């Protein structure tokens, strides 16, 4: 895998080299007296330029993956989450559509990691990530922020629909043979056309309220929470 510096240097050098080569070839073409030979040369250089552009586009996609994907799980990282939420909140406001955010934390993961080592800890994180990905639709977003913190973005999804997703996650995670004492704490809420950081903080508060009460559950805002800030706890 290329490191970021190597990829950055590629993008600095290759356009300059390509430009110099094109300039030299164009100068040489001007010296060709036969029309058919000049046409052939232009066609060949056009094909070569297309191949260079295609190559750069492929490398650009690879660089984007390095920037936006979590290397361990293959899920989106925090940067990808921020961009997705920016787009989804704009869409939710424009269409007045529901948008639900789930924040997830693995309870007792640090103890598990310390006891079993980083390799098994990473395997459990990867298994959890695949469970979260498999529990949602292809249009939904699943992200790992680092450590044992995950987020799921559910466009066009209300709280009641999110409950079914959480049940699928719970059932699949509890079936993992290697999870031992590790459980899940979750916070879930709908978007209220608020600032993005306020939405995140609201769901994050629900998550840590769940953890403070012992974990292994999901903290929902109740249907009256928009007025009273009350919440409801659902044990996993």
């Amino acid at each position: 895998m290329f490191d970021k510096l190597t990829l950055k240097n590629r993008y600095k050098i290759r356009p300059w080299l390509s430009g110099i080569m094109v300039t030299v070839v164009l100068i040489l073409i001007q010296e060709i007296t036969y029309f058919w030979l000049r046409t052939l040369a232009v066609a060949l250089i056009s094909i070569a330029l297309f191949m260079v552009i295609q190559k750069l586009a492929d490398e650009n996609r690879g660089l984007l993956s390095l920037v936006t994907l979590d290397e361990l799980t293959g899920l989106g990282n925090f940067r990808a989450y921020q961009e997705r939420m920016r787009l989804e909140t704009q869409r939710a406001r424009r269409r007045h559509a529901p948008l639900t955010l789930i924040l997830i934390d693995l309870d007792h993961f640090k103890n598990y990691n310390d006891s079993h080592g980083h390799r098994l800890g990473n395997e459990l994180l990867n298994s959890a990530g695949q469970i979260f990905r498999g529990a949602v639709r292809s249009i939904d977003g699943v992200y790992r922020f680092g450590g044992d913190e995950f987020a799921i973005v559910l466009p066009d999804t209300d709280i009641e629909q999110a409950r079914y997703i959480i049940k699928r996650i719970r059932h699949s995670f509890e079936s993992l043979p290697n999870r031992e004492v590790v459980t899940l704490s979750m916070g879930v809420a709908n978007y209220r056309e608020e600032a993005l950081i306020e939405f995140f903080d609201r769901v994050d508060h629900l998550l840590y309220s769940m953890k403070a009460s012992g974990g292994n559950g999901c903290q929902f805002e109740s249907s009256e929470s928009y007025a009273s800030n009350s919440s409801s706890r659902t044990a996993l």
Side-chain angles (χ1 to χ4, degrees), residues 145-165:
F145 293 166
D148 56 355
E149 299 176 345
F150 295 82
I152 301 177
V153 179
L154 303 171
D156 296 313
T157 303
D158 59 27
I159 289 295
E160 290 306 312
Q161 292 168 319
R163 289 181 189 272
Y164 291 102
I165 293 172

Side-chain angles (χ1 to χ4, degrees), residues 39-80:
T39 302
L40 178 61
V42 170
L44 291 175
I45 193 172
S46 298
I47 293 172
L49 283 173
F50 175 79
M51 294 175 65
V52 169
I53 292 171
Q54 192 68 32
K55 177 75 171 177
L56 289 174
D58 291 342
E59 291 187 352
N60 185 51
R61 284 190 290 270
L63 180 61
L64 182 62
S65 295
L66 286 176
V67 172
T68 60
L69 291 183
D70 174 58
E71 186 175 357
L72 175 63
T73 62
L75 304 175
N77 59 17
F78 186 67
R79 178 179 298 206

